[in-house]
């Protein structure tokens, strides 16, 4: 069965505060790393899956992202899906 | 001063276990989402910074990643850096 690689990036919606990101930004300034204007921390989920075709792979990753990876009240997500060549994965 | 956008992806080194990723993978199977072979959860840090040039911007994001964003004992990171056109940000 074809294999796919997917990367799902989950980030807070723009209206949601990100205290960890803000703390990191001010720690950077204290360390002498200048010029950082915005900094927001999200999740990056890397996954490998088997599916009969690309459409079905995309459907599975969408379902996973909506139900398990992101909290739709406060988070957005987006996906990159790449087929892995089947000769590399016999 | 020119502005840059950077995305830093922080992931566990391959030899480090990821219990949260493993729990998500088995929860997906229980939900009926089939075919997920690997799943690892990392951090995605989106930032915007001012720097005199691209080399200096890269140096600042490298310092930030090494010192604050990643724990080099258990994590790797990689960066994408993009100049933002200054006409968009007067």
């Amino acid at each position: 069965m074809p294999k796919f690689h997917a990367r799902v990036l989950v980030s807070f919606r723009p209206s949601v505060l990100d205290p960890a990101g803000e703390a990191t930004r001010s720690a950077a300034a204290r360390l002498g790393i200048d010029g950082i204007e915005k900094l927001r921390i999200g999740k990056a989920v890397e996954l490998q899956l088997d599916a009969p075709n690309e459409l079905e792979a995309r459907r599975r990753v969408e379902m996973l992202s909506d139900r398990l990876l992101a909290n739709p009240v406060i988070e957005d997500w987006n996906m990159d899906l790449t087929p892995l060549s089947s000769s590399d994965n016999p």
Side-chain angles (χ1 to χ4, degrees), chain A residues 57-69:
Chain A
R58 191 169 292 276
R59 199 189 64 79
R60 289 181 188 180
V61 179
E62 279 173 5
M63 203 188 303
L64 182 77
S65 303
D66 280 335
R67 294 216 204 156
L68 285 178
L69 302 182

Side-chain angles (χ1 to χ4, degrees), chain A residues 22-59:
Chain A
E22 192 48 44
T24 305
R25 201 179 68 81
S26 58
R30 283 196 303 279
L31 273 175
I33 304 171
D34 295 323
I36 296 180
E37 291 202 329
K38 295 181 192 165
L39 191 158
R40 290 178 70 87
I41 302 177
K43 280 180 289 187
V45 183
E46 302 278 347
L47 54 111
Q48 188 178 314
L49 72 161
D50 289 337
N53 54 57
E54 184 159 341
L55 198 72
E56 174 64 16
R58 191 169 292 276
R59 199 189 64 79

